[in-house]
């Protein structure tokens, strides 16, 4: 089952790198640098120029590496979601919950991770078939919010995005999240073309995740 396999890859990745970039080339190089550092989850955002082309190229590049899971981020509508899926995206992430996008992803059996901030939004997303809820922006909350959300909805799988660092990752995983989305501090060096630094920071995140999981 494709959807289940992709969900398992997402969960196994643990750290999902939210890749933005001023150009197609920057996003491609940043993604490769991140994977070289040991992070296997890539969320290529549609704010990147020619995003669908970048996704297609990344899927081809990492074809021989089954651990790598490539998805689309900042997907605002079903039209964009379909473009992403046709390009090979293995999951779709939105900053908000969108019913049509949820239905389209279900049609193609692609995991949909909508951004939610309230228990009402999370309930609606679950009803529409979302398997993982993206708590966004994560910086608006602390790790203790996870148990508050999971009290009435224990079946929630939450991936907070935004506001993470190597220092607080442990707390979020201890609170019960399935993965975390990391952008800013991981991707910052890419803007100046320092992709070796991106790999270095990715290695730190990958090592921290192994430590948290006791591997």
């Amino acid at each position: 089952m494709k959807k289940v396999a992709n969900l398992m890859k997402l969960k196994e990745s643990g750290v999902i790198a939210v890749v933005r970039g001023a150009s197609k080339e920057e996003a491609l190089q940043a993604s490769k640098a991140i994977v070289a550092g040991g992070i296997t989850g890539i969320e290529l955002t549609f704010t990147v120029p020619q995003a669908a082309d970048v996704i297609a190229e990344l899927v081809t590049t990492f074809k021989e590496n089954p651990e790598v899971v490539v998805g689309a981020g900042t997907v605002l509508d079903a039209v964009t979601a379909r473009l992403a899926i046709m390009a090979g995206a293995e999951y779709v992430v939105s900053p908000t919950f969108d019913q049509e996008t949820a239905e389209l992803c279900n049609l193609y059996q692609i995991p949909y991770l909508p951004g939610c901030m309230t228990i009402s939004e999370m309930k609606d997303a679950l009803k529409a078939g979302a398997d993982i809820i993206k708590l966004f922006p994560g910086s608006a909350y602390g790790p203790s919010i996870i148990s508050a959300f999971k009290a009435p909805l224990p079946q929630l799988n939450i991936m907070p995005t935004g506001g993470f660092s190597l220092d607080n990752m442990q707390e979020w995983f201890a609170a019960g999240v399935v993965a975390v989305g990391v952008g800013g501090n991981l991707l910052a060096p890419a803007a100046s073309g320092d992709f070796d630094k991106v790999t270095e920071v990715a290695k730190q995140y990958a090592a921290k995740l192994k430590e948290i999981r006791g591997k």
Side-chain angles (χ1 to χ4, degrees), residues 12 37 53 67 70 81 94 113 118 141 156 163 207-208:
E12 193 55 39
D53 293 343
E67 290 181 353
V70 178
S94 294
L113 288 67
T118 67
Y141 294 114
L156 269 178
K208 187 71 179 174

Side-chain angles (χ1 to χ4, degrees), residues 17 38 78 104 112-113 121 155 184:
L104 183 104
Y112 176 49
L113 288 67
E121 290 173 332
Q155 70 275 31

Side-chain angles (χ1 to χ4, degrees), residues 50-103:
Q50 299 165 278
D53 293 343
V54 180
I55 289 168
E57 193 162 327
L58 290 174
V59 169
T60 303
T61 300
F62 299 121
K63 207 176 189 175
E64 304 306 314
N65 188 342
E67 290 181 353
V68 175
V69 59
V70 178
T74 321
V75 175
L76 303 181
D77 52 42
V79 174
T80 309
R82 191 172 186 281
L83 277 172
I85 293 165
M86 293 301 110
E90 295 170 282
Y91 62 98
V92 168
V93 186
S94 294
T96 60
F97 169 66
D98 182 72
Q99 181 71 35
E100 283 185 11
T101 303
E103 289 172 6

Side-chain angles (χ1 to χ4, degrees), residues 38-57:
I39 288 177
T40 54
I42 300 289
E43 178 192 323
L44 196 287
T45 66
F46 262 80
T47 54
V48 172
Q50 299 165 278
D53 293 343
V54 180
I55 289 168
E57 193 162 327

